[in-house]
Each structure stands twice: as structure tokens, then as C-alpha cells.
Amino acid sequence: MKKILVFLCLLISVGAFAQRKAPAVKKPRPNVQRKAPPLGKPSMEKALALWSKGDIKNAMMFFEKLSEEDKKNWIPAYYLALLQTTNSLEVTNFKEKMDQIDKSRASIENHLDEGQNAEWLILLAMNYESEVKIDPLGKKALALTIIDLYDQALELEPQNPRALYGKAAYRIREAKYFEKDKTPYCSDIKKAISAFDKQKSDVPFYPKWGRDQAEKLDEDCSK
């Protein structure tokens, strides 16, 4: 009889436990990625602002769209190639670096085929400089090409400040690398700074960059 009572108590206990509701298991919320706010319609002001903030990808996208929308206006395509070229100077991965160099070089050469322009020649010289940076000794033969491009730009515009600065800056970097005297080229930096003061253009967003770099290099020459 005692065993029967124990058995009945166990049945009642198990039944009471079974009637209790199990605690609700919270389902994990789906990881919803927030969309970035739209950048709006491309414009040169927005593209340059994105560049200044370091948003290279979207700046390139804006310049590319603007160049496609107005193929007669060389300015957006110029800034796209300029951004690609200057960005390639900082890239260390060989394949990625050469991809950017080749892409910008193709655009530069296509515009030069349409007619000589000092700013495009300067940009092409910078493009080759980026390639030389990969292997200064192995790419030393390109030095003549770079100087020739700057000279061509100066033939078209003898007082172009970016051509004066670019050529002198390259000579100074070359002299430093090969441990030669840089002072013969420092006076050309002062000429470039003077040319920046005289530069004028009615073309919207015409290239004006370079003065800050020239002044910094002038300070280095004075040390």
C-alpha cells in the first residue's frame, strides 16, 4: 500500500510539472544594415567635397558620372584622372597600384589625342612618376619621359605653375634618392610659387592645386 501511495504522489508531481509553461525563447532580431543617406545629384562641388573628406570611392563615382554626362567638358574627366593618379601614389599593393595607373593613363592619353593641353601633359608626367615610385632604379629610364612631358607642357604654357613645380619637384626627389645636390632646382620652386600668384582662368574649376606643395618644398630647400 505504501508503494502505491508513493507512486501516486510521483504521478501528481510529474503532471503538475508538465502543466507549467516553458519560458518563451526570444528570437534574435535580424541584423538589418542601415542604408547610407543618398549623396544626391552629382556636382563638382560635391565631388571635391567628398575628396577632401577622404571619400575617394564616391568622389571618383561623381567625377565619372559628370564626365559621362558632359563629354565636351574636360574638367570632370581631368579631376577623375587626377584623383586616380594621386591616389595611386599612396597604394602599396602592386596590382592595385598598376590598375589605377593604367586606367588613369588611358583616360589622359585619350584626351591628349584630341589636342595638346598643358594640364593633361602634367598629369601624364605625374602618372609616370607613380610608376617610377614602384622601382626607382628599374624604372629609371622613365625619367626622360617625365621631364619631356613637363617640357612639352612648358612649351605650351611657359608660366604654368604646376609644370614649373612638377618638373622641379621631380628633379629634387631624384637628387635626394641618388644622393645628389638638389639646390640647382630649388630656385625653380620659387619661380613656380610666383607663377601661382599670377595664374588666372575663367574656366570653372580650372586646376589651381599645387601652391601648398610648392611652398612646403621651398621650406625643405631652405633647410
Side-chain angles (χ1 to χ4, degrees):
M1 185 68 180
K2 188 177 180 181
K3 290 183 179 180
I4 293 172
L5 288 172
V6 172
F7 178 71
L8 287 173
C9 288
L10 285 172
L11 281 177
I12 293 168
S13 299
V14 172
F17 181 79
Q19 287 176 357
R20 292 180 186 176
K21 290 183 179 179
V25 178
K26 292 183 179 180
K27 295 182 180 180
R29 292 182 179 180
N31 187 16
V32 179
Q33 292 184 346
R34 293 181 179 179
K35 292 184 179 180
L39 295 171
K41 185 178 179 181
S43 69
M44 285 297 297
E45 291 89 350
K46 289 179 181 178
L48 291 169
L50 287 167
W51 187 358
S52 67
K53 292 176 182 177
D55 190 348
I56 304 301
K57 182 180 178 180
N58 282 316
M60 283 186 181
M61 180 183 70
F62 269 28
F63 286 133
E64 189 169 5
K65 285 185 177 180
L66 290 166
S67 64
E68 290 172 353
E69 289 173 3
D70 187 3
K71 295 186 181 298
K72 292 182 180 180
N73 182 6
W74 62 274
I75 295 293
Y78 168 85
Y79 276 97
L80 175 60
L82 175 63
L83 178 50
Q84 289 170 332
T85 297
T86 54
N87 192 56
S88 71
L89 289 165
E90 306 303 322
V91 175
T92 55
N93 180 276
F94 177 80
K95 185 180 183 304
E96 186 180 343
K97 187 182 187 76
M98 285 308 303
D99 284 346
Q100 290 194 29
I101 289 173
D102 292 340
K103 190 173 182 179
S104 58
R105 187 176 297 172
S107 175
I108 296 167
E109 290 176 342
N110 285 338
H111 281 85
L112 283 171
D113 286 342
E114 296 173 5
Q116 293 292 292
N117 177 305
E119 298 297 340
W120 283 111
L121 288 166
I122 295 163
L123 201 48
L124 186 56
M126 290 171 58
N127 182 277
Y128 277 107
E129 285 187 61
S130 183
E131 184 175 349
V132 169
K133 194 176 178 181
I134 298 171
D135 180 12
L137 284 174
K139 302 281 185 178
K140 190 178 179 181
L142 288 177
L144 294 175
T145 301
I146 293 166
I147 296 302
D148 182 59
L149 287 166
Y150 282 125
D151 286 340
Q152 287 181 51
L154 288 168
E155 284 180 17
L156 293 173
E157 298 180 16
Q159 292 301 310
N160 186 299
R162 277 162 298 285
L164 290 168
Y165 159 72
K167 181 179 178 180
Y170 180 72
R171 286 296 200 190
I172 289 170
R173 285 193 293 271
E174 191 178 44
K176 282 183 177 179
Y177 185 82
F178 292 105
E179 298 181 349
K180 294 181 180 180
D181 185 16
K182 66 180 181 180
T183 53
Y185 312 112
C186 288
S187 59
D188 292 330
I189 295 296
K190 293 188 181 295
K191 291 178 183 177
I193 294 172
S194 177
F196 275 111
D197 292 333
K198 300 171 185 176
Q199 183 186 19
K200 293 180 181 179
S201 177
D202 295 328
V203 178
F205 302 103
Y206 193 87
K208 295 180 181 178
W209 61 268
R211 184 187 180 90
D212 291 344
Q213 296 95 317
E215 289 177 343
K216 187 177 184 303
L217 195 54
D218 184 47
E219 290 177 6
D220 292 341
C221 277
S222 303
K223 294 178 182 178

